[in-house]
């Protein structure tokens, strides 16, 4: 796609390569980009505790990860036939209490190891709106369909978000002082909060991130200003369409992935498309030749990048 106006994006001083180890945390847009990293065979670890939208909940999880503070029965509750934890996404909920705690503590350990070894950590914030549990007084990452009268809804002030981001940075630096941090704001529109309220929420996040002078990739701004057309949204008119995600990845690659590996990305993409191809006749000589050629391309890449699996 060609656009007459493009947002200037400063090139990363420490670009991502195929030797990099990437950890992505945050909103559902982190998973969109994580899928791109995985598709192109980067070493990538995405949202181990599920989608987390707000800065305070991400900070809270990182505090637990850095301290190796295990989840206990005090951290979980039973509702609608499942055990849940207010600090993680509902995809991790489990009908068995012991299995849930075992799973959460296993993720805690693996995430600690991943962050310690990572070269790049990308954090995507989705909203400034949060729900505070009336009983505990704590902000939750997920309400797990508990009745709304048990929560107070509020918007995080810019100052609170600034403090939370700064603490997040400090926590990561304690176990990995040399990794590169990159922040972005999800382009997903939280219309359930209200149109004006969604804009206010994004504004708080953007202001807080920029006030700390952290490396920033303008995902939200690209969708708002370069792709300002509803054809770049999915059917729900809230999430970016695959075309939009592909375009954002293109802009990300230009600015944050090593130019030396752009040709590798193209080759991996070509192989992935070839592997998805469905032959008219799988037993034909032409298809067998196609498979042999494909195998040769894969083996050549794996000699250079042993971690590649197809």
């Amino acid at each position: 796609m060609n656009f007459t106006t493009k947002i200037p994006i400063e090139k990363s001083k420490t670009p991502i390569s195929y030797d990099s180890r990437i950890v992505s945390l945050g909103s559902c847009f982190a998973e969109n980009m994580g899928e791109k990293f995985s598709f192109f065979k980067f070493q990538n670890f995405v949202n181990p505790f599920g989608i987390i939208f707000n800065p305070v909940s991400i900070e809270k999880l990182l505090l637990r990860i850095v301290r190796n503070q295990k989840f206990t029965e005090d951290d979980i509750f039973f509702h609608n036939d499942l055990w849940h934890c207010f600090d993680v996404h509902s995809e991790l909920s489990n009908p068995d209490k012991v299995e849930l705690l075992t799973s959460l503590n296993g993720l805690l350990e693996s995430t600690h190891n991943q962050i310690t070894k990572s070269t790049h950590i990308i954090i995507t914030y989705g909203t400034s709106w949060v729900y505070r549990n009336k009983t505990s007084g704590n902000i939750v990452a997920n309400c797990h369909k508990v009745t709304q009268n048990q929560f107070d809804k509020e918007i995080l002030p810019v100052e609170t978000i600034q403090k939370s981001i700064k603490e997040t940075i400090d926590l990561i630096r304690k176990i990995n002082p040399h990794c590169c941090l990159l922040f972005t704001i999800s382009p997903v529109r939280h219309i359930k909060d209200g149109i004006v309220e969604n804009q206010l929420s994004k504004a708080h996040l953007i202001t807080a991130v920029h006030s700390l002078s952290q490396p920033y990739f303008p995902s939200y701004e690209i969708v708002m200003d370069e792709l300002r057309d509803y054809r770049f949204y999915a059917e729900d008119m809230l999430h970016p369409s695959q075309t939009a995600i592909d375009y954002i990845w293109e802009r990300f690659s230009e600015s944050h992935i090593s130019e030396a590996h752009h040709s590798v990305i193209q080759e991996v993409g070509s192989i992935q498309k070839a592997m998805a191809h469905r032959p008219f006749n799988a037993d034909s000589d032409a298809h067998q030749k196609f498979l042999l050629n494909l195998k040769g391309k894969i083996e050549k890449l794996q000699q250079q990048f042993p971690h590649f699996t197809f």
Side-chain angles (χ1 to χ4, degrees):
M1 287 179 287
N2 295 315
F3 293 88
T4 54
T5 302
K6 280 190 174 183
I7 296 169
I9 303 175
E10 184 178 352
K11 287 203 171 187
S12 172
K13 296 177 182 177
T14 51
I16 292 169
S17 72
Y18 276 107
D19 295 322
S20 302
R21 292 179 178 269
I22 309 150
V23 173
S24 301
L25 303 170
S27 78
C28 52
F29 186 70
E31 299 207 338
N32 293 146
M33 295 302 284
E35 288 172 2
K36 282 292 187 183
F37 280 123
S38 297
F39 180 85
F40 290 108
K41 302 304 176 183
F42 286 90
Q43 299 177 86
N44 183 42
F45 187 71
V46 184
N47 281 353
F49 291 98
I51 296 167
I52 307 293
F53 295 101
N54 76 80
V56 170
S57 292
I58 293 174
E59 176 204 342
K60 188 177 180 181
L61 267 176
L62 280 168
L63 179 63
R64 185 183 287 274
I65 291 164
V66 170
R67 290 180 175 177
N68 276 316
Q69 181 184 344
K70 301 294 185 184
F71 289 92
T72 69
E73 291 188 11
D74 292 336
D75 299 309
I76 62 177
F77 66 97
F78 194 70
H79 177 68
N80 284 345
D81 300 321
L82 291 171
W83 287 93
H84 309 273
C85 175
F86 278 131
D87 294 334
V88 305
H89 195 269
S90 56
E91 67 183 19
L92 297 172
S93 299
N94 196 299
D96 187 285
K97 175 170 61 175
V98 175
E99 286 185 9
L100 174 60
L101 288 174
T102 300
S103 173
L104 291 177
N105 287 323
L107 285 173
L108 194 69
E109 183 178 349
S110 62
T111 305
H112 186 279
N113 291 337
Q114 289 289 342
I115 290 177
T116 301
K117 295 186 296 184
S118 67
T119 59
H120 295 76
I121 297 178
I122 303 172
I123 299 178
T124 305
Y125 294 130
T127 184
S128 303
W129 287 102
V130 296
Y131 290 87
R132 190 181 296 274
N133 186 284
K134 290 181 179 179
T135 302
S136 67
N138 295 328
I139 290 172
V140 302
N142 195 296
C143 294
H144 300 294
K145 297 184 179 178
V146 174
T147 54
Q148 292 297 297
N149 61 14
Q150 295 191 32
F151 304 94
D152 288 320
K153 184 179 179 181
E154 61 188 70
I155 191 167
L156 296 171
V158 172
E159 294 77 11
T160 300
I161 300 172
Q162 288 171 328
K163 183 180 177 182
S164 184
I165 296 173
K166 188 176 185 306
E167 184 60 26
T168 294
I169 295 167
D170 291 343
L171 285 166
I172 291 170
R173 294 295 184 213
K174 284 182 181 179
I175 59 174
N176 189 338
H178 304 298
C179 72
C180 303
L181 290 169
L182 179 64
F183 291 86
T184 188
I185 308 302
S186 170
V188 177
R189 301 157 70 228
H190 293 244
I191 298 303
K192 287 183 180 179
D193 295 322
I195 294 175
V196 173
E197 289 80 1
N198 172 69
Q199 291 295 85
L200 178 62
S201 167
K202 301 291 188 183
H204 280 207
L205 294 173
I206 293 168
T207 302
V209 172
H210 281 282
S211 71
L212 296 171
S213 301
Q214 290 299 310
Y216 180 75
F217 178 73
S219 303
Y220 176 76
E221 293 83 353
I222 287 171
V223 173
M224 292 296 107
D225 292 308
E226 290 189 33
L227 307 180
R228 49 177 183 263
D229 190 309
Y230 275 111
R231 63 196 168 103
F232 295 112
Y233 284 88
E235 289 184 3
D236 63 3
M237 294 300 190
L238 303 177
H239 292 76
S241 67
Q242 189 58 53
T243 302
I245 293 168
D246 292 344
Y247 180 75
I248 294 168
W249 170 259
E250 181 183 320
R251 298 286 273 127
F252 182 87
S253 298
E254 293 169 356
S255 56
H256 284 80
I257 294 181
S258 171
E259 290 183 9
H261 286 161
H262 283 187
S263 61
V264 181
I265 290 174
Q266 291 179 352
E267 181 69 6
V268 171
S270 174
I271 290 172
Q272 292 280 51
K273 289 178 182 178
M275 291 180 68
H277 173 70
R278 292 186 178 182
F280 289 110
N281 183 358
D283 297 323
S284 68
D285 290 342
H287 184 64
Q288 294 307 310
K289 185 178 179 180
F290 166 82
L291 291 178
L292 190 62
N293 181 51
L294 184 60
K295 181 182 177 183
K297 290 181 178 180
I298 291 173
E299 288 176 347
K300 184 178 179 180
L301 274 181
Q302 288 175 330
Q303 288 175 4
Q304 187 178 1
F305 306 103
H307 71 272
F308 280 13
T309 56
F310 288 90

